[in-house]
Every structure is written in C-alpha cells, then in structure tokens.
C-alpha cells in the first residue's frame, strides 16, 4: 500500500511528480488517501487504463453494488453520479436537453451580461481576490438562474458546497449535507405550491406531475443537489486555474493576448494541465476484474485519476509543459463514457467568456501576492483564493 499522506502538503500543492513516480511503477496502485477522510482503494494513474476504466460497466457508480452505504445518499436522495443504467439513463435523460450545444449557446448573451456586470463592479477597485469577486459568482449565478433558484445567501451556500466536496472532517461534511438537503426540500416545496416557472427545476417537477412517480421526492432533491453543486464548483476551479496558469506562464499569456483565436485551445489546455476535478467520483467493482495488470476484487473502491491521466507522458508528450498551441490530446477532464460530464458545454462557454472578457478589460492583469491554499482532498483541484491586481 502507498500512503499518499506521507507526501505531506507538497502532494496537495503539486501532485503531478507523485503521479509520475507512481506511473513509473505501474498504472494502478492500492493507496491510502490523505486526511481528512482518508480511505484505502485503487488509484488509476495511467491514461489508457483510466480511459478504459471510466467506460467499464463492471465498475459501478452505485455504492450499494460494492457493498457500501452512503449517508449522503440517505440524506440527499439518488442522483446520476451514484446510479448505473437503467436508473442512470432515466435520470440523465430528464436533464440532457438543457445542456445541448444549442441550448447552451443560447445562454451566451446572459453569461456575457453577468460577466460584464461582475467586471464593472470589480475593476474600479484595482485589485481583488479573483475567486470571491469573479470566478465564484459567475457560475453560481448562471446555474441558479438555469435551475430557477432564487437569490441565495452565496456566502453560506459556498461554505456548504465547499464542505461537501472538500470536507475538513466527517462531522462538518454531514452537517453541510443536512443543511443543503433542508434548503432544497424547502425550495422544491415552494415551487410545488406556487406556479412553477420557466426553469429546469420547475420542468422536473412538472415531469413528475405528468408521469406519476417517474421522479420521487428524493430523486428531485438529489437531482437539484448534483446540478447545483456540480454545476458551479468545477467551473469556479476551471476559471481560477486558467487565470493562474496564464499569469504564471507569461509567454503563453502574451501569445493568447496577441491571438484570441487561441482561446478555445487555451481552455482545453487548462483542462488538461490543471483540470478542476482531480479524480473522478468513486467507482465500485461489481465483480472481480483486472486493470493495468492488477487484480481488483469485488467490492473494492476504485478512484480514477483524471489529472494524473492527463499528465501521462505516454499519451501527451512533455505533459508538465503548459502550451496553448498543443494539439488536442483527448484529455479526460470531463470523464469518458456514459458518465461524461453533462455540463461540459456550459463549463466551456463560461470559461471562454470569462477569460476573454477578463483579459480584454484588464490588459495589465497580474498576480498580487501568493495564491491561497489548494483545496484539500483528491476530488477538486483549485485554489481557495487568487489575489490579482490591474
């Protein structure tokens, strides 16, 4: 067993040398994850093995098939990230239409408007924490409007959401899940009792009304939970990681400023170089199988290293070099297979609008001191704060 906690804070700040060291010894390892919330399981760090594992039906997303129980599921309800077909197919089909390329592109004017309003408020200050002032409020506003969530206490919600995806300890995580579940119950009930609006959550409620028990109360809560949390957490990190990567690679930043046609490629390179989701959510071996020459027993937890795979030199030459001119290499930052990220088109749109607008309106954007800590745990990859000036 490899205890990743023994690498200390350096692993949280920069896990890629550790992943490279592991890959030299093989693509799959039995590891103990760092605290808090340490657990033992398999970690896949090779690109080809990770891509295959993401689409392997023998690796279940349902903890119950691995003999595990989930208190979070008991409190929040069932949702797509912990379901297999046919349940997964049914749940995902309810929201797929809201995230097609055409529907997402129709959101561009509103995304641009929100971006401009945030910059109008931020720029006169001459400096700010980019996370608090820009990278967080943009995606949370977009997803709240899409779902039909009224103005919420964003400070309180951010604390709840962060505690769920990057918990400091089990008790605080559980408290955050309970608090968010109660909020969502109240929101859903309010929409039931009043005239549903022209939003995604109202659509889901109407679908249940028309089709009987197609969506249970728990499923509605679970769907709202995953769309609200996953719909903003990843994009916050994508925008923050993108700005940080550009500001710490001035040659690449200059190239992008000189030629904005590189923007789409820049977003893809950020996703590959410093993807916002370090590892995919847990999978569970529904039966014995082999990955990368290692025997995986039924019930074992398997964690697929998305960022680790994206830095596999066998797939992507010179992987630790940030290069906007790099040809697309098929990164795994949005996953692969039936669980490929539903919100990928929206995340890409928000990142492109955010980066273009920020760079065009802040020609002298620069770091204003060291960044904050990297998020703890191995799920999300992002900075807690990013001080910048202009």
């Amino acid at each position: 067993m490899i205890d990743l906690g023994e690498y200390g804070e350096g692993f949280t700040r920069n896990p890629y040398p550790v992943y490279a060291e592991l890959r030299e010894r093989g693509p799959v390892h039995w590891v103990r994850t760092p605290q808090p919330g340490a657990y033992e399981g398999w970690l896949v760090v090779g690109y080809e093995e990770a891509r295959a594992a993401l689409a392997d039906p023998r690796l279940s997303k349902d903890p119950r098939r691995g003999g595990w129980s989930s208190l979070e599921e008991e409190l929040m309800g069932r949702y797509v990230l912990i379901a297999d077909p046919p349940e997964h197919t049914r749940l995902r089909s309810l929201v797929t239409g809201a995230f097609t390329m055409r529907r997402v592109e129709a959101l561009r004017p509103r995304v641009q408007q929100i971006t401009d309003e945030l910059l109008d408020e931020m720029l006169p200050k001459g400096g700010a924490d980019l996370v608090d002032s820009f990278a967080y409020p943009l995606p949370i506003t977009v997803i709240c409007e899409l779902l039909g969530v009224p103005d919420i206490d964003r400070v309180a919600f951010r604390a709840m959401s962060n505690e769920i995806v990057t918990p400091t300890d089990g008790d605080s995580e559980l408290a955050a899940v309970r608090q968010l579940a109660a909020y969502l119950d109240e929101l859903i009930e309010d929409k039931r009792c009043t005239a549903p609006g022209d939003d995604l959550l109202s659509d889901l409620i109407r679908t249940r009304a028309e089709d009987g028990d197609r969506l249970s109360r728990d499923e509605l809560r679970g769907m709202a939970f995953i769309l609200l949390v996953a719909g903003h957490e990843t994009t916050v990190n994508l925008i923050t990681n993108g700005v940080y990567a550009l500001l710490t690679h001035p040659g690449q930043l200059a190239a992008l400023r000189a030629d904005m046609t590189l923007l789409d490629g820049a977003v893809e390179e950020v996703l590959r170089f410093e993807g916002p989701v370090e590892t995919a959510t847990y999978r569970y071996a529904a039966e014995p199988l082999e990955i990368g020459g290692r025997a995986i027993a039924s019930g074992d937890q398997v964690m697929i290293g998305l960022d680790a795979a994206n830095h596999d030199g066998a797939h992507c030459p010179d992987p630790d070099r940030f290069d906007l001119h790099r040809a697309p290499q098929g990164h795994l930052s949005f996953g692969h297979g039936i669980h490929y990220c539903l919100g990928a088109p929206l995340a890409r749109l928000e990142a492109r609008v955010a980066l273009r607008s920020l760079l065009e309106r802040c020609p002298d954007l620069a770091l204003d001191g060291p960044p904050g800590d990297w998020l703890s745990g191995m799920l999300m990859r992002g900075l807690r704060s990013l001080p910048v000036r202009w």
Side-chain angles (χ1 to χ4, degrees):
M1 183 194 72
I2 298 170
D3 187 349
L4 296 176
E6 294 181 352
Y7 290 93
E9 288 299 314
F11 177 72
T12 300
R13 289 192 300 271
N14 182 13
Y16 303 112
V18 176
Y19 291 146
E21 176 187 324
L22 294 180
R23 268 194 306 274
E24 290 179 359
R25 298 155 62 181
V28 183
H29 299 273
W30 184 263
V31 303
R32 179 178 175 83
T33 64
Q35 293 287 356
Y39 87 99
E40 293 183 13
W42 295 101
L43 175 64
V44 183
V45 294
Y47 177 88
E48 293 300 336
E49 293 78 11
R51 191 173 190 274
L54 287 168
D56 194 327
R58 296 172 297 177
L59 291 177
S60 170
K61 296 291 288 181
D62 190 341
R64 299 172 303 185
R65 292 189 64 189
W68 298 78
S69 61
S70 170
L71 188 56
E72 180 179 293
E73 176 191 342
E74 292 176 17
L75 294 171
M76 199 62 71
R78 301 286 292 169
Y79 52 92
V80 290
L81 282 185
I82 56 171
D84 298 325
E87 181 187 19
H88 170 269
T89 308
R90 176 174 62 89
L91 292 174
R92 186 174 172 116
S93 68
L94 294 172
V95 293
T96 298
F99 295 96
T100 63
M101 293 294 291
R102 182 180 61 82
R103 292 287 294 272
V104 167
E105 187 59 32
L107 296 172
R108 179 183 292 273
R110 180 57 181 148
V111 172
Q112 185 67 63
Q113 182 183 3
I114 296 168
T115 300
D116 292 341
E117 290 172 353
L118 290 171
L119 291 175
D120 288 344
E121 182 179 352
M122 185 180 84
L123 293 186
K125 301 175 182 177
D129 172 10
L130 190 84
V131 178
D132 284 344
S133 299
F134 189 62
Y136 172 68
L138 173 57
I140 192 62
T141 302
V142 171
I143 197 63
C144 281
E145 289 188 0
L146 183 63
L147 282 174
V149 177
D151 287 339
I152 58 176
D153 184 338
R154 291 179 182 172
V155 174
F157 175 75
R158 184 181 177 191
M160 280 188 287
S161 182
N162 282 351
E163 192 59 45
I164 291 170
V165 300
T166 57
T168 53
D169 62 67
D171 290 340
S172 57
E173 179 187 10
L174 179 58
V177 173
R178 290 186 190 278
Q179 189 178 359
L180 184 54
Y183 170 79
L184 293 175
D185 276 339
E186 184 178 339
L187 174 65
I188 291 168
E189 191 59 30
D190 182 63
K191 283 186 176 290
R192 282 192 202 281
C193 296
T194 60
D198 184 21
D199 57 74
L200 183 53
L201 190 51
S202 293
D203 285 347
L204 293 175
I205 292 171
R206 278 192 292 264
T207 297
R208 179 174 184 263
E210 293 168 1
D211 299 340
D213 290 330
R214 189 178 180 193
L215 264 185
S216 69
R217 184 186 184 88
D218 285 351
E219 287 172 334
L220 275 170
R221 187 196 310 111
M223 186 72 78
F225 161 69
I226 196 61
L227 291 172
L228 189 58
V229 173
H232 88 277
E233 282 280 359
T234 52
T235 310
V236 173
N237 295 333
L238 174 55
I239 294 170
T240 305
N241 294 355
V243 173
Y244 184 61
L246 288 167
L247 293 180
T248 52
H249 295 83
Q252 297 301 303
L253 175 58
L256 178 58
R257 287 192 181 281
D259 182 7
M260 274 292 174
T261 64
L262 294 173
L263 181 62
D264 288 2
V267 171
E268 298 309 306
E269 178 65 351
V270 170
L271 284 162
R272 184 205 68 81
F273 182 77
E274 202 73 270
V277 181
E278 187 170 341
T279 57
T281 51
Y282 302 146
R283 281 165 167 76
Y284 308 86
E287 61 183 77
L289 71 153
E290 183 178 294
I291 305 176
R294 304 299 294 266
I296 313 298
S298 179
D300 282 357
Q301 291 191 90
V302 178
M303 189 165 54
I304 302 171
L306 304 180
D307 283 351
N310 289 337
H311 282 252
D312 186 346
H315 173 75
C316 179
D318 198 6
D320 297 325
R321 176 171 53 87
F322 182 63
D323 183 4
L324 307 188
H325 298 86
R326 191 186 297 275
Q329 298 290 331
H331 64 72
L332 299 177
S333 296
F334 289 123
H336 175 65
I338 64 169
H339 290 282
Y340 184 84
C341 178
L342 189 66
L346 181 58
R348 284 184 165 111
L349 170 65
E350 292 180 72
R352 291 166 184 168
V353 170
L355 290 178
R356 176 187 287 273
S357 299
L358 182 65
L359 295 179
E360 287 180 345
R361 296 186 60 179
C362 300
D364 55 349
L365 186 70
L367 293 174
D368 192 22
D373 293 336
W374 289 91
L375 296 172
S376 60
M378 293 179 63
L379 177 60
M380 292 293 177
R381 178 74 181 156
L383 292 163
R384 295 190 182 276
S385 62
L386 184 63
V388 292
R389 57 180 168 80
W390 51 89

